[in-house]
Amino acid sequence: MLDNSQPGLSSIPKRINEWQRKLLDLSRKNPLVYYRQTKSYIHISHPDVQSIYQTLVVERKPLKFTAAILNDLEETYSPKENELVCQNLSKGDLKKALKSLTEKPATFYKEYGIRTLYIAFGLLHWKESESSNERSPLILCPVELKREKFPESFILSLVEDDDISINPAFQVKLKRDFNLDLHPAPEEWEVNSIQEYLAQVNQFIKPEESQWSIEPNVILGVFKFNNIGIYKDLVENSSFIEEHPLIRILSGEQPESHLVNDIPSDKQLDKIQKPESTFQFLEADSSQQRCIQAALLSKNLVIDGPPGTGKSQTIANIIAEFIARGKTVLFVSAKIAALEVVYKKLKDSNLADFCLELHSQKAKKTDVQTELKRCLEASTPEEQLPNIDIEFKKLERTRKQLNDYVLALHMPRGNLNESVSSILG
């Protein structure tokens, strides 16, 4: 339930601050802020930080955990230059961790389109109190891990179309609790960028005074900060967000009547929906038609229903209506499956050229550029469309006949003052 004890604008900043806290987990459960060494994280001891950074980031070459490292061989085995060696796990635990880091991030990316597998360069040791000793990863580089069975190895490669970032959750923690701002990431990550950045941070924290320090570790593991974009939006645009009528309602204000009472009823649909200005390409019943007309009237609404009741079909029809009116639609979903269902419906009706996919593998910069170029250069063939005005008039006549029949069926008649429908019932 919403707290209405402080109505008006004064309650809105409180609500936005509450949303910010919920979006960004700064508790001890978040390894981005309070990192703990477990079997889920792989500490890479060979090669050194600069060599891994040089190969993976600068040269864009893959590195690998090979069968020789994964199997129980002699301790005298010398790893090759492009082989990664783990220092904190046994061979059995390393193999188990690599399998998990191959499968789980790939599944999460497939379902949500969000990268969660990162290689972290540098651990910042910091103190929340005199007796504490906390650690947080600094530089996060998005990577992908793939398994090769013959010979068995795990290939680690850079995800080139995602940005390397400075730990966003830890930046917020430093700003909120210590009023400190870490150095921003360099515009281009070049050969010496990693060393230069770690040196800048080291100079910034002043280890001799603060007892904070940097450890040049390289860690492979899952780090999630997918809510950071929404958090930043709430912080940077709070004054604009506070004025939005929907935000004010969610913050506890009573909605204005025109925001909730103007959605067309079933009986109004035929009056406001003209066949010649209808561009739906999928079947829609009266409840779906109400949703479509509400969207066309710029009403805010929630479409609710169990699976198989036509929600995706309704969304696809709404998109088609807006396309016909020259408007832009942003369709977002927590899961990729929902996006793909709607896109398939549009594609099957030759509306794919109006769609720009920006999720998961479709969100790569080069793919987006190629798709934009293709759609801009696409030529629409001039087809001789038949004169459909006659068909529209037929449709209107048929609709009127059906409506008249329903009215006649329910009209009270004769001495009994009962309708045909009620008598038959």
Side-chain angles (χ1 to χ4, degrees), residues 60-90:
R60 301 292 202 268
K61 293 179 180 178
L63 294 164
K64 64 172 67 177
F65 296 90
T66 66
I69 304 296
L70 298 173
N71 297 329
D72 290 321
L73 296 183
E74 297 179 5
E75 295 296 331
T76 56
Y77 175 80
S78 298
K80 298 176 182 177
E81 189 174 338
N82 67 334
E83 287 182 345
L84 297 169
V85 179
C86 167
Q87 69 177 24
N88 68 311
L89 298 176
S90 67

Side-chain angles (χ1 to χ4, degrees), residues 35-42 88-90 93-94 96-98 100-101 220:
Y35 174 77
R36 294 291 179 266
Q37 184 172 317
T38 68
K39 292 181 180 180
S40 300
Y41 295 94
I42 298 173
N88 68 311
L89 298 176
S90 67
D93 288 337
L94 173 60
K96 185 177 179 181
L98 286 169
S100 177
L101 294 178
L220 178 66

Side-chain angles (χ1 to χ4, degrees), residues 170-237:
F170 186 54
Q171 286 190 79
V172 174
K173 174 71 175 178
L174 284 179
K175 183 65 177 178
R176 180 179 293 182
D177 293 358
F178 301 95
N179 197 27
L180 295 176
D181 293 303
L182 282 176
H183 286 70
E187 293 184 6
E188 297 291 337
W189 288 92
E190 299 172 348
V191 177
N192 296 319
S193 297
I194 189 77
Q195 292 177 329
E196 291 172 356
Y197 186 83
L198 294 177
Q200 286 177 341
V201 174
N202 190 62
Q203 186 177 5
F204 172 70
I205 61 175
K206 298 178 180 178
E208 63 282 354
E209 299 176 15
S210 64
Q211 296 183 320
W212 292 19
S213 62
I214 292 179
E215 192 177 349
N217 286 36
V218 182
I219 302 166
L220 178 66
V222 170
F223 298 100
K224 295 180 182 179
F225 51 93
N226 44 295
N227 288 334
I228 194 69
I230 306 174
Y231 171 84
K232 287 182 177 178
D233 189 33
L234 288 175
V235 172
E236 296 169 4
N237 301 301

Side-chain angles (χ1 to χ4, degrees), residues 333-377:
S333 172
K335 289 194 173 184
I336 287 177
L339 299 175
E340 290 178 339
V341 167
V342 172
Y343 174 73
K344 186 178 186 304
K345 294 181 185 296
L346 294 165
K347 183 180 179 182
D348 290 345
S349 296
N350 299 317
L351 293 175
D353 281 350
F354 294 96
C355 303
L356 178 62
E357 295 183 87
L358 291 172
H359 64 80
S360 64
Q361 68 272 17
K362 305 293 179 67
K364 294 179 180 178
K365 293 176 184 177
T366 52
D367 291 344
V368 171
Q369 291 167 354
T370 302
E371 184 67 6
L372 281 173
K373 183 175 184 293
R374 183 187 68 79
C375 291
L376 288 171
E377 293 178 351

